[in-house]
Structures are given as C-alpha cells and as structure tokens.
C-alpha cells in the first residue's frame, strides 16, 4: 500500500490514552475525508467495545492468519473501517509463537489491501508479540504520554523497543511523536516534564495536546467517538487539531 501511512499507538503502560487516541484520532481523520482503517490489536477489545462492535464472529486474529477477507471482518463506524478484536486474540499470540513468520503476519495481511490513506493500530499495554506485529507493519509510532514524572520511566523503554524493531525487522520505523494526553493546564508539573523531555530526548513532542475531560470517559457508553458524542467539547476540538497536525505532517500528494 504505497500511499498509506500506517501508525501504531503504543505505550507499555495501561491507561495512558492509547485506545482513546486510536478511536478519536481515526474518527477525526475520517471527518477530513480520508479513508481510515482502525485495527484493534488488544485482546481486551476496549476499542471494539467503545465502537459497539458487539459479539464478533471474526476478529483481527482470523484476518492476520489469512482465514478471512477484510470485508468479512471489518465494520464501518463513523466513516472508519474497524477491525475488531476479542479475548481469542490472546490465544492467537500463543499459537503463532512457534511460526517462522510470527512477527510479520499483520504486515502480510496489510500488504494485501489497498485504498486507505491511514491505518491506525491500537496495541495492548505490553511489548508482546502482537505489539511487535504492529511495529513491524507500521511506518510511524505515536506515543500518548501523561506529562508526569512516572511516565519518564517508561519512555526509555519505548524508545529502545522501537529502536530494536527498527534494527531487526523494520528499518523505516520512526517515532513521529509523543502526544501529551490528560493534560491539566492548572498543573505546573506538566510543563516541567515537557521541558525535561524536550531537553533530554531526541524525540518530537507533537504541538497538539489532549486535555483531561470527562466527556471522553462518557463516550464509550454511547458507542461513539467523542467527536460524535460531544462535538462541542474541548476533547473533540483537541483530537480534531491533532488530526490536522498528523495530516500536515504527512502532506499526501
Ligand atoms: N483526555 C482524557 N480525559 C479524561 N479521561 C481520559 C482521557 N484520555 C483517556 N481517559 C480515560 O483514561 C482511561 C484510560 O484510557 P485508555 O485510552 O483506555 O488507555 P489505554 O488504551 O492506554 O489503556 C479511560 O478510562 C479513559 O476514559
Ligand atoms: Mg487500550
């Protein structure tokens, strides 16, 4: 897929806004008339639940193994094609562990589809074989990060993991940026952490930031992105701005 940009959203910690970013960034990009494929690669299936995928017969695992076609597994939500996941994905991870091509199943599956401007992959909160598949298949990485001291601990590990995948499996992989999430402007500390990262790490921090807002945590109960659920919220504005930043970084011809 030469004209497709494939993004993995990672952070090995849970609860750092990966799924929130995957859902709302995808919907915000789709609103800009781009064709987006959103992949739930977390056996917890939070993304699939959020977008109301319900009980599924086929999941991303079947598609990665080449056992079904994209049109059989994908569901359309707010203009985004979503490939859902469920708990069975944890078994797949065990079953593929002994396969020679275990790291590249997702890459192979993605190589067979076309017509998308963006693919966005939501990962589990671990550096598992599923995450390795996502990184092997991707062009770029987005790391949602809370600007607090404890987040710094994980940052070295993320940078080192991406570096290893780049060396061994995917030479073109790059971290496009860290996305400050759950930002509370009243807290001075966030600015200090932000400054510490920009001074000590050679990694881009996106200009956009996602503020803390209760609307985000309400949206999954309604099966909608926050852009649909609460279009006038600052969360909808923040993810729309982030989508704009992503589009301008990619400047598709
Ligand atoms: N900007 C935000 N404002 C308020 N709550 C948020 C925000 N981003 C995420 N959350 C909440 O934080 C929790 C973890 O987010 P989630 O995206 O599921 O993280 P991850 O996928 O990294 O585990 C969820 O309950 C979610 O509603
Ligand atoms: Mg998640």
């Amino acid at each position: 897929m030469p004209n497709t940009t494939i993004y993995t959203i990672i952070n090995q910690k849970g609860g750092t806004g990966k799924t929130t970013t995957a859902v709302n960034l995808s919907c915000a990009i789709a609103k800009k008339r781009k064709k987006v494929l959103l992949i739930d690669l977390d056996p917890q299936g939070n993304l699939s639940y959020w977008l109301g995928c319900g009980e599924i017969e086929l999941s991303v695992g079947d598609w990665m193994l080449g056992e079904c076609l994209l049109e059989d597994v994908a569901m359309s939500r707010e203009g985004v094609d979503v490939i859902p996941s469920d708990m069975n994905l944890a078994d797949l991870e065990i079953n593929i562990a002994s396969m020679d091509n275990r790291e590249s199943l997702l890459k192979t599956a993605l190589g067979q589809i076309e017509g998308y401007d963006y693919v966005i992959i939501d990962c589990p909160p671990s550096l598992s074989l599923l995450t390795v598949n996502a990184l092997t298949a991707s062009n770029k990485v987005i790391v949602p990060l809370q600007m607090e001291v404890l987040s710094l601990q994980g940052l070295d590990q993320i940078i080192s993991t991406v570096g290893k995948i780049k060396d061994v499996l995917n030479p073109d992989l790059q971290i496009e940026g860290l996305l400050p999430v759950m930002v509370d402007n009243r807290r001075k500390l966030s600015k200090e952490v932000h400054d510490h990262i920009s001074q000590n790490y050679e990694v881009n921090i996106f200009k956009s930031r996602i503020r803390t807002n209760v609307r985000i945590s309400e949206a999954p109960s309604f099966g909608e992105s926050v852009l649909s659920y609460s279009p006038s919220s600052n969360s909808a504005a923040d993810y729309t701005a982030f989508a704009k930043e992503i589009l301008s970084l990619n400047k598709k011809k």
Side-chain angles (χ1 to χ4, degrees), residues 84-223:
S85 149
D86 62 12
M87 271 156 37
N88 294 323
L89 194 60
D91 295 333
L92 173 118
E93 183 156 32
I94 297 166
N95 294 338
I96 64 174
S98 58
M99 292 166 67
D100 285 342
N101 56 348
R102 60 183 169 265
E103 292 103 354
S104 57
L105 292 166
L106 184 60
K107 184 184 167 103
T108 306
L110 281 169
Q112 279 155 21
I113 62 170
E114 52 191 28
Y116 289 97
D117 299 301
Y118 292 92
V119 176
I120 295 178
I121 308 170
D122 184 31
C123 281
S126 61
L127 301 169
S128 63
L129 191 47
L130 291 166
T131 305
V132 171
N133 261 271
L135 292 171
T136 304
S138 295
N139 308 108
K140 300 180 185 187
V141 174
I142 294 170
V143 183
L145 201 71
Q146 278 174 274
M147 290 293 139
E148 56 188 36
V149 175
L150 288 181
S151 305
L152 294 173
Q153 262 191 319
L155 187 54
D156 291 306
Q157 198 188 352
I158 295 166
I159 294 173
S160 128
T161 301
V162 172
K164 278 184 207 150
I165 302 282
K166 186 177 161 81
D167 290 346
V168 181
L169 294 161
N170 185 1
D172 298 328
L173 187 65
Q174 63 174 94
I175 297 182
E176 181 152 81
L178 311 180
L179 175 67
V181 295
M182 298 184 233
V183 172
D184 182 345
N185 286 332
R186 290 165 300 185
R187 292 176 62 191
K188 186 166 159 276
L189 188 63
S190 352
K191 190 181 174 308
E192 285 169 12
V193 173
H194 189 290
D195 291 348
H196 176 84
I197 295 174
S198 36
Q199 283 156 20
N200 294 283
Y201 291 83
E202 278 179 27
V203 61
N204 176 49
I205 307 179
F206 290 111
K207 293 193 182 65
S208 312
R209 54 216 58 242
I210 311 298
R211 289 166 282 181
T212 297
N213 190 305
V214 67
R215 292 283 173 261
I216 288 209
S217 33
E218 293 168 357
S221 311
F222 296 85

Side-chain angles (χ1 to χ4, degrees), residues 14-33:
T16 57
K18 290 181 288 297
T19 300
T20 301
T21 297
V23 166
N24 296 296
L25 174 63
S26 297
C27 293
I29 294 179
K31 279 201 189 314
K32 309 230 175 255
R33 297 211 184 85

